[in-house]
């Protein structure tokens, strides 16, 4: 073939391509595609048959002479369930001797669903529980033939090996039993323990000769606080502390006259104080004497464990609150009378069979989830929350005992899931 012939062939090819392109623009035809008017599948079916859709929006399988639609039926307020429809030559079809089984291979188990006839479709005998993340295997026996199809519905899943988890600080824990402590947070104030208050009087009237203790001094039982010369005997006697504690009041001066009814000193043991809490009316029934309470003061002061020792039988008329009191150890003297603080009262303790750490909780779509792990795969697993405290959450349903989950830094897993796209496509 000479040069001129080659050039002519090239020009003809260009004209053909240009004509095809013009036809595409004028007529709206997509080159290389094929549409089926009245068919139930889309163009994507040519690439992936499992993505064909039927008239009810379900997965569509089979050939014209026997077609099957698998729908997850989940209108608002209805628990999701499988509906299966059959078609022949594009029309609804009611085959004979039908047996349908769908197996859902989930991250940690396999669900088997059988079907029975209902109106113009077959309905599954089990709920399709969330998340709808599984490999589905459809087995249909009808009119002496067996059909098998499969499709994938994966969501909320990510893969992360051990070395990545270690670098990210993701802590893995197994779901299991725990003790849930229900608590009530109260506001309170430190008060003097009046049962340790000691008021010191002189035995006889007289003139104060010496004063040996000042405000704030620590004293022991038997320490001399002052000396007084008696008006009757003119003898000097000692005024002594009758208990151990701190001098919080001093109403005496050297050379002054004192009577036997005068209060010279007040001593209180500050190594133990009262904390009086304000309790709102709705919380009255939750409290009783003997319940544990954890006292939280300012930063830098360690929390202190104590118990409620007294509940007032009266309520304040104006605020409709009552008082609950705890006797609290104060060995370092950090809980100073007048200081405001908070206390967490444990009013119920319960052993639960399955619990997860509070730090594991994440949100995914409209669910509360934890990210469970099987092998190197993680998946968002919704669950029903029961009782909870600062450390643990009771699992009422949704998470089996013994499964591993991300307890700390689980947001790393969530970020990886969201990066991959959190689809919900049936």
């Amino acid at each position: 073939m000479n040069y001129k012939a080659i050039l002519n062939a090239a020009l003809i090819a260009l004209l053909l391509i240009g004509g095809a392109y013009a036809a595409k623009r004028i007529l709206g035809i997509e080159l290389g595609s094929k549409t089926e008017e009245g068919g139930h599948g889309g163009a994507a079916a040519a690439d992936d048959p499992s993505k064909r859709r039927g008239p009810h929006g379900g997965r569509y399988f089979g050939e014209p002479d026997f077609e099957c639609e698998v729908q997850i039926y989940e209108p608002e307020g209805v628990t999701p369930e499988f509906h299966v429809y059959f078609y022949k030559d594009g029309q609804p079809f009611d085959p004979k001797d039908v047996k349908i089984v769908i197996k859902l291979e989930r991250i940690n188990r396999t669900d088997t669903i059988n079907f029975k006839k209902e109106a113009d479709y077959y309905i599954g005998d089990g709920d399709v529980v969330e998340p709808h993340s599984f490999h589905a295997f459809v087995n249909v026996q009808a009119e002496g033939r067996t059909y098998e199809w499969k499709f994938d519905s994966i969501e909320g899943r990510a893969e992360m090996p051990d070395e990545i988890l270690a670098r990210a600080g993701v802590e893995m824990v197994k779901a299991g039993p725990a003790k849930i402590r229900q608590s009530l947070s109260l506001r309170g104030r430190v008060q003097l323990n009046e049962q340790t208050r000691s008021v010191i009087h002189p035995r006889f009237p007289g003139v104060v000769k010496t004063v040996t203790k000042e405000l704030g001094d620590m004293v022991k039982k038997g320490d001399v606080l002052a000396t007084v010369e008696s008006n009757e005997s003119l003898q000097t006697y000692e005024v002594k502390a009758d208990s151990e504690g701190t001098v919080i009041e001093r109403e005496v001066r050297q050379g002054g006259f004192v009577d036997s009814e005068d209060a010279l000193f007040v001593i209180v043991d500050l190594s133990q104080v009262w904390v009086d809490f304000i309790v709102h009316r709705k919380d009255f029934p939750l409290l009783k004497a003997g319940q544990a309470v954890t006292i939280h003061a300012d930063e830098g002061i360690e929390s202190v464990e104590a118990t409620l020792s007294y509940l007032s039988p009266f309520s304040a008329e104006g605020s409709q609150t009552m008082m609950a009191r705890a006797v609290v150890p104060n060995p370092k003297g950090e809980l100073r009378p007048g200081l405001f603080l908070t206390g967490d009262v444990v009013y119920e303790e319960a052993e639960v069979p399955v619990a997860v750490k509070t730090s594991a909780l994440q949100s995914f779509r409209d669910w509360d989830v934890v990210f469970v792990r099987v092998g190197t795969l993680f998946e968002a697993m919704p669950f029903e929350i029961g009782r909870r405290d600062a450390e643990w959450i009771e699992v009422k349903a949704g998470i089996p005992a013994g499964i591993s989950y991300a307890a700390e830094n689980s947001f790393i897993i969530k970020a990886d899931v969201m990066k991959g796209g959190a689809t919900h496509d049936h």
Side-chain angles (χ1 to χ4, degrees), residues 281-357:
R281 182 174 181 173
K282 65 181 178 62
D283 297 324
F284 288 3
L286 300 177
L287 302 183
K288 61 182 67 174
Q291 288 173 329
V293 55
T294 303
I295 310 295
H296 308 286
D298 291 339
E299 291 185 8
I301 300 177
E302 293 183 1
S303 298
V304 182
E305 300 294 330
T307 57
L308 294 181
S309 59
Y310 172 74
L311 301 180
S312 173
F314 305 102
S315 64
E317 292 185 8
S319 63
Q320 292 292 289
T321 59
M322 76 170 188
M323 184 268 288
R325 174 175 293 160
V327 179
V328 182
N330 186 33
K332 297 180 181 179
E334 295 176 320
L335 300 180
R336 302 176 184 276
L339 181 69
F340 289 101
L341 41 66
T342 59
D344 295 325
V345 180
V346 178
Y347 62 85
E348 181 184 356
E349 289 187 340
E351 293 280 355
V352 298
V354 185
V356 294
K357 286 196 170 184

Side-chain angles (χ1 to χ4, degrees), residues 84-240:
V84 173
Y85 301 83
F86 292 104
Y87 305 90
K88 186 172 184 178
D89 297 324
Q91 300 299 318
F93 176 54
D94 186 12
K96 306 299 181 184
D97 303 322
V98 173
K99 181 181 179 182
I100 308 168
V101 178
I102 296 181
K103 292 184 182 290
L104 304 180
E105 189 178 278
R106 296 180 178 269
I107 191 171
N108 65 315
R109 69 181 190 276
T110 298
D111 298 339
T112 299
I113 299 177
N114 296 290
F115 290 77
K116 66 177 182 179
K117 186 70 181 298
E118 180 106 357
D120 62 340
Y121 60 89
Y122 288 78
I123 185 171
D125 63 358
D127 298 333
V128 187
V129 299
E130 298 281 11
H132 294 165
S133 184
F134 44 72
H135 302 290
F137 299 87
V138 183
N139 181 283
V140 175
Q141 298 178 26
E143 299 184 337
R145 297 180 63 184
T146 298
Y147 304 87
E148 291 185 341
W149 304 288
K150 66 179 180 178
F151 65 92
D152 295 331
S153 175
I154 303 297
E155 62 174 327
R157 187 176 288 188
E159 186 169 14
M160 193 168 291
D162 289 336
E163 55 269 22
I164 301 297
L165 296 177
R167 287 204 299 267
V170 177
E171 178 189 353
M172 300 304 301
V173 176
K174 288 187 177 182
K179 181 179 287 186
I180 305 290
R181 294 176 171 85
Q182 300 284 91
S183 63
L184 177 67
S185 185
L186 302 172
R187 295 187 62 83
R189 190 175 185 181
V190 180
Q191 307 283 2
L192 294 173
N193 185 340
E194 294 294 337
Q195 293 179 342
T196 69
R197 184 186 184 98
S198 176
V199 181
I200 307 300
H201 300 273
R203 286 177 294 161
F204 310 104
V207 177
V208 177
K209 299 304 244 181
T210 61
V211 179
T212 59
K213 297 297 180 182
E214 303 293 336
L215 282 174
D217 284 351
M218 297 286 296
V219 299
K220 294 181 179 180
K221 183 176 181 179
D223 283 356
V224 176
L225 307 176
T227 58
V228 177
E229 183 183 83
S230 172
N231 279 355
E232 297 179 3
S233 65
L234 301 180
Q235 298 293 316
T236 299
Y237 66 90
E238 296 175 334
V239 178
K240 296 182 178 182

